[in-house]
Amino acid sequence: MSATQRLPDSAHTSRPWRIHELTPDFRLEDVWELPGQGDHGDFPRVVDLIASLDPEQSSSRAARVLWATRWKIGELLGWDDEDAGVGSRVPTLRDRLPADLRDAPGPEFDPLAFTSLYQLEDEFAAETANKTVHGVMHIGAVPDGSGGYRVQMAVLVKPNGLFGKAYMAAIRPFRHLIVYPPMLRDAERLWRERGGEVTPAQL
């Protein structure tokens, strides 16, 4: 995959993901195609790659400046204070996990401020929260029709009141134009460097 691609919401909502039962009060923000295709044995490598991404080290200068600005504003206004996170302002979604998912933790994130919820052979979810939003990142493996799979990322959000809704609306164009395209290109580059095969994915 040589270009980032946003997918229709149905690419996520039509799949029988376990995340649906955990997030009925969350809104699907968007769905993106991720680099890398292979068999199910490769899926943990994709998850590990995502967990290791550092947006402040983006190949895009515009993205680096945007992230630095966001963190600075968050520091000044207390958006990312400890009492605004998961387990403080909002309860963790781990409290909603059925027994079979509680024993399926995913990787630790560094430096992204996410906490893994669960990881299965074709599905992974992690959560984050601050004073603006409670968010979930979901990674799923979808059969590609040739015996392998392609991967996609869905972002689900629960804004914190009117302020959170306004914040999400304000940053949406920046996410779509500045944040995600270079992030996914960087993921593709890392996938290649780590020996993964990247081929054009089909919906």
Side-chain angles (χ1 to χ4, degrees):
M1 185 175 60
S2 59
T4 59
Q5 183 176 3
R6 187 179 175 193
L7 302 177
D9 289 356
S10 60
H12 176 77
T13 58
S14 65
R15 305 296 304 175
W17 303 125
R18 299 294 300 276
I19 194 65
H20 298 318
E21 64 193 85
L22 306 177
T23 55
D25 49 342
F26 282 65
R27 181 184 78 233
L28 178 61
E29 185 72 9
D30 39 41
V31 188
W32 296 80
E33 185 177 349
L34 296 178
Q37 288 181 301
D39 57 36
H40 278 87
D42 292 326
F43 187 66
R45 295 172 56 207
V46 176
V47 173
D48 288 343
L49 183 150
I50 296 299
S52 69
L53 288 177
D54 184 352
E56 294 188 61
Q57 301 300 319
S58 172
S59 59
S60 165
R61 183 176 183 275
R64 294 196 304 271
V65 170
L66 185 64
W67 277 106
T69 301
R70 163 60 183 84
W71 296 136
K72 188 61 177 180
I73 293 174
E75 180 182 358
L76 292 173
L77 300 181
W79 290 352
D80 306 307
D81 289 351
E82 187 174 343
D83 63 358
V86 172
S88 297
R89 186 183 69 79
V90 296
T92 175
L93 291 177
R94 289 195 61 82
D95 294 341
R96 304 183 184 184
L97 294 180
D100 63 318
L101 294 184
R102 291 175 190 164
D103 296 326
E108 293 186 5
F109 277 74
D110 183 25
L112 292 174
F114 278 85
T115 301
S116 291
L117 292 170
Y118 65 88
Q119 181 173 340
L120 304 174
E121 65 175 10
D122 62 352
E123 186 179 355
F124 166 74
E127 67 177 334
T128 188
N130 53 44
K131 285 189 177 178
T132 67
V133 70
H134 187 183
V136 172
M137 174 172 59
H138 180 269
I139 309 296
V142 180
D144 63 6
S146 62
Y149 75 90
R150 60 176 177 79
V151 286
Q152 61 187 43
M153 175 181 72
V155 178
L156 301 103
V157 298
K158 187 177 181 181
N160 184 16
L162 293 177
F163 169 66
K165 292 178 181 179
Y167 173 83
M168 291 303 300
I171 69 170
R172 187 170 295 120
F174 296 100
R175 291 172 58 249
H176 291 174
L177 297 175
I178 299 177
V179 175
Y180 285 143
M183 182 185 76
L184 299 184
R185 287 195 299 269
D186 289 344
E188 177 179 346
R189 174 179 54 79
L190 288 173
W191 180 254
R192 289 182 184 277
E193 291 176 355
R194 297 180 186 185
E197 181 181 0
V198 179
T199 57
Q202 302 294 326
L203 288 178

